[in-house]
Amino acid sequence: MNWVLVPQQVINGLLNGGTLALIALGIVLIFKSSEVFNFAAGHMVMLGAFLTWMFAGGEGTGEELFKLPLWAAVIAASIVAIGIGFLIERLALRPMTGQPLLAIILMTLGLSQVMEGVTTVAYGVQPKGNFPAPFSPSDAFNIPVPPVNGASIVFLDRLQIGHARLATFVVAIIAAVLFILFFQYTKTGLAMRATSENHELAQSMGIKVSRVFGWSWAIAGIVATLGGVLLATLSGVSVSLSTVALVAFPAILLGGLESFPGAIVGGLLVGLAQEIVRASTVVEVRNASDIAPYILLLIILVLRPEGLFGQRRIERI
Amino acid sequence: MAVLRPAGDFDRSYQQDMSILRKPWHLLVTVLAIGVLYLTPFLNSAYITFTLNRIAYTVIALQGLNFLTGFTGQISLGQAGFMLVGGYASALVSTYWGLPIWLAIPFAALATGGVGLLFGLPSLRVKGFYLAMATLAAQFIIPWLTRQPFLADYLGGTKGFIDVPTATIFGVSLGEQSQFVYLSVTVMLIMTVLANNISRTRLGRAFVAIRDNDLAAELLGVNLFSYKLRAFFIAAVFAGVAGALRAHSQRAVGTELGYNLVESVLFLGMLVIGGLGTNLGPYLGGIFVILVSDFALWFGPRLAEIFPSNAAALQSSFRPIFFGMVLVLFLIFEPRGMAHRWTLIKAAWRLRPFAR
């Protein structure tokens, strides 16, 4: 193991973890309000990325329907994602209220399959190009940041922060903080938190619980779209984005299922673990960083199933 | 199970009470059905024999998953990963040790069972959703391990194990799909008898008790951890047999051929569509979903002819759409699966003309 590289890997890992944290936030949001664990989150991420790509006037489609600037495309895609979120909640998850865990998990898995197929029909099997990262030389948001040493900022002589990575991290963290503020200070956010505490009590205080479920899916749609765009700035828009987003599951379990700060910390830690493992090629192991989050997941499950910030449930096994 | 019987239909011995084939005509129908299965190679249809082989190993994998998820209630997202273990184990022992197929399959079953026990260990600490995540980890770790370069000399790396030896029984080579049907149908029948008997003996009843109320089950003397591990072991053994059959019928095994998370989801979906916790469910669900997938594979290219501009995307994308839609509709409208519908139909016939 090359110890000189470790600080650099730590930086890269934390920066990559930002996007994971955002995706994890979307899953925790739905789990908190309706106790549905959204296995379709990865596919919502992928769908959001494809929608943004389409609204931004993606090349290769033949006829370009839209030609929006990236920020407008993200907003347009988010609006579509809100609609999809409401539809999923109303048509698929509402009938499942009170059904056993397996049925609900399978429902989200079935939805993920439908989304995968529909995305392939709509956008083809070919991977699309990357999104331009905000703050990068090919800047889509036109934010003037002086490019230091080409594509990355260098400090302490050796450590560098890639512009694209930094940008995705900053956007992800800003979005995460915005969502947490939303839950602290707005009426809808308060209603959601009340619902997550106790459905009957929230209902009796005049909160329409079913509408809160719908809202949580809609907001999860926005979060997934943002996460998808950020992932796609680094790895390109393709169907495999859904598997990249699967790494958010270990992040959630690490942070604790019910905790927003936990989701963020978990996302950062999982990103960190992936990069550290990628750096430490002690043995001839290929793609060890793909599997590191799941090894971590098994360790968490055995040592501390409730995660770092989750509620400890007293439950006999 | 308390079944309404017509008047005059009673048992004279315990043996008769326990028998599965209760009437002479049950035996006749069973023998005829098995006979039809063994005669399918004479139809000379490549599609039918190929599909029959797929159905055989799918049904076996589903029967295993049914013990874990249907009877014991432990959600597993790793059945395809366990199948991969079975496939590799059988391919390895029949290549390097030259074991005949009738020894290679049990060996693969036991090896997979061991791996299943390993990944069943988290059930000591967690259950429900958390356990599903542990099996998800298995589904990622096993295929990843088989692709490693340091194992590539034995497992074939990312390309997988190509040239799995042809199965040979009594000196007859079963290389063709039409010949392999004899083996796969035989193994499927053996595993079906096994599954039926496990489900109605002490083990199966303990599984159902754990599913319905784990605290009550423990109070009744069912050692939860031990029985959950047994459920994992049985699920993995069936997956190992299924994987071995699949490896020898496809003559290759590896992550190139599937065995991924989508397939594990497919298995869970088939089980729910067929009917969780029923012995008929694996058959109904497996056959139905395989036929739906094949219809999607037929439908995609037809649609691609109409819309040639989007042909590449249309050809493959209807399998997930059809499967997802079927699963979603079943979960909403028939959550107990096709087996439940079948019992309703049977009851209606039995009670005719008093039932609708």
Side-chain angles (χ1 to χ4, degrees), chain A residues 106 120-121 249 286-287 302, chain B residues 125 133 144 148 272 310 313 317:
Chain A
L106 267 178
T120 325
V121 168
F249 295 152
R286 188 184 292 166
N287 296 335
V302 173
Chain B
R125 285 294 302 265
M133 295 307 288
W144 169 81
Q148 285 311 306
V272 166
N310 205 5
S317 50

Side-chain angles (χ1 to χ4, degrees), chain B:
Chain B
M1 205 164 65
V3 180
L4 281 175
R5 286 193 208 148
D9 181 10
F10 50 85
D11 299 315
R12 290 165 202 279
S13 67
Y14 284 116
Q15 203 174 9
Q16 200 182 352
D17 187 40
M18 288 193 300
S19 62
I20 292 178
L21 305 170
R22 306 183 53 80
K23 298 276 174 54
W25 66 267
H26 285 172
L27 188 67
L28 185 71
V29 168
T30 312
V31 168
L32 277 181
I34 293 172
V36 167
L37 282 183
Y38 278 108
L39 289 176
T40 42
F42 294 101
L43 290 174
N44 253 332
S45 160
Y47 173 77
I48 289 180
T49 47
F50 171 60
T51 307
L52 201 55
N53 284 326
R54 275 186 302 158
I55 286 176
Y57 64 68
T58 309
V59 165
I60 294 170
L62 286 179
Q63 283 168 337
L65 187 63
N66 197 18
F67 280 115
L68 189 54
T69 303
F71 286 100
T72 322
Q74 312 295 311
I75 301 166
S76 167
L77 285 167
Q79 192 73 351
F82 292 136
M83 261 176 95
L84 191 61
V85 177
Y88 269 117
S90 179
L92 284 175
V93 294
S94 51
T95 306
Y96 292 107
W97 295 352
L99 287 191
I101 187 79
W102 57 271
L103 278 177
I105 289 180
F107 182 88
L110 288 180
T112 317
V115 176
L117 280 183
L118 188 69
F119 282 101
L121 284 178
S123 64
L124 174 66
R125 285 294 302 265
V126 293
K127 66 180 178 185
F129 160 73
Y130 292 91
L131 189 61
M133 295 307 288
T135 57
L136 182 73
Q139 177 59 58
F140 280 107
I141 291 171
I142 294 171
W144 169 81
L145 203 59
T146 64
R147 288 194 298 267
Q148 285 311 306
F150 64 90
L151 293 171
D153 290 347
Y154 302 101
L155 304 185
T158 50
K159 287 202 297 289
F161 196 108
I162 304 163
D163 255 359
V164 177
T166 44
T168 310
I169 292 263
F170 306 126
V172 184
S173 164
L174 302 173
E176 298 292 318
Q177 291 286 324
S178 57
Q179 297 161 329
F180 199 80
V181 165
Y182 299 114
L183 179 66
S184 58
V185 166
T186 312
V187 176
M188 179 174 79
L189 292 174
I190 294 171
M191 296 316 271
T192 304
V193 171
L194 203 62
N196 266 306
N197 282 326
I198 293 176
S199 71
R200 64 196 192 126
T201 46
R202 181 186 163 82
L203 203 55
R205 282 157 193 240
F207 288 161
V208 173
I210 292 174
R211 177 192 67 192
D212 288 345
N213 190 334
D214 47 357
L215 289 184
E218 196 167 25
L219 209 61
L220 289 169
V222 174
N223 182 341
L224 284 191
F225 183 49
S226 150
Y227 274 89
K228 279 181 184 174
L229 274 189
R230 286 181 213 190
F232 266 98
F233 180 76
I234 292 174
V237 161
F238 276 71
V241 172
L245 275 185
R246 183 170 171 182
H248 285 281
S249 78
Q250 295 183 332
R251 303 285 315 283
V253 55
T255 48
E256 286 275 286
L257 296 168
Y259 300 97
N260 46 18
L261 176 64
V262 174
E263 235 169 67
S264 281
V265 172
L266 207 61
F267 285 142
L268 268 183
M270 285 171 177
L271 207 51
V272 166
I273 289 168
L276 269 176
T278 59
N279 286 321
L280 203 57
Y283 274 89
L284 295 177
I287 294 171
F288 181 68
V289 173
I290 282 180
L291 292 183
V292 166
S293 304
D294 284 356
F295 173 70
L297 279 186
W298 173 86
F299 181 75
R302 297 291 97 72
L303 210 63
E305 282 170 17
I306 304 172
F307 302 104
S309 63
N310 205 5
L314 287 177
Q315 269 167 3
S316 60
S317 50
F318 281 96
R319 232 141 66 113
I321 295 183
F322 280 17
F323 167 69
M325 286 312 294
V326 166
L327 178 56
V328 166
L329 292 177
F330 260 91
L331 282 171
I332 294 176
F333 295 110
E334 186 70 281
R336 296 170 74 180
M338 296 165 84
H340 177 62
R341 182 60 46 186
W342 173 242
T343 42
L344 289 186
I345 292 171
K346 268 201 312 195
W349 272 100
R350 193 180 292 119
L351 301 175
R352 204 168 55 98
F354 302 111
R356 271 194 304 125

Side-chain angles (χ1 to χ4, degrees), chain A residues 201-218:
Chain A
L201 206 55
Q203 188 90 294
S204 71
M205 297 306 287
I207 295 166
K208 204 157 179 355
V209 170
S210 55
R211 188 168 297 159
V212 169
F213 289 170
W215 269 111
S216 59
W217 276 89

Side-chain angles (χ1 to χ4, degrees), chain A residues 6 8 11 41 73 121 135 167-168 175 177 183 192 197 200 231 233 237 249 260 265 282 297:
Chain A
V6 168
Q8 179 67 54
I11 291 172
V121 168
F135 320 127
T168 55
V177 169
F183 290 115
M192 286 179 156
E197 290 291 325
E200 284 90 0
L231 274 185
T233 55
V237 181
F249 295 152
F260 289 129
V265 173
V282 184
L297 170 75

Side-chain angles (χ1 to χ4, degrees), chain A residues 247 270-279 281 285-294, chain B residues 144 148:
Chain A
V247 179
V270 166
L272 189 64
Q274 272 190 305
E275 279 303 316
I276 298 265
V277 169
R278 185 173 292 150
T281 45
V285 180
R286 188 184 292 166
N287 296 335
S289 63
D290 291 354
I291 221 67
Y294 298 101
Chain B
W144 169 81
Q148 285 311 306

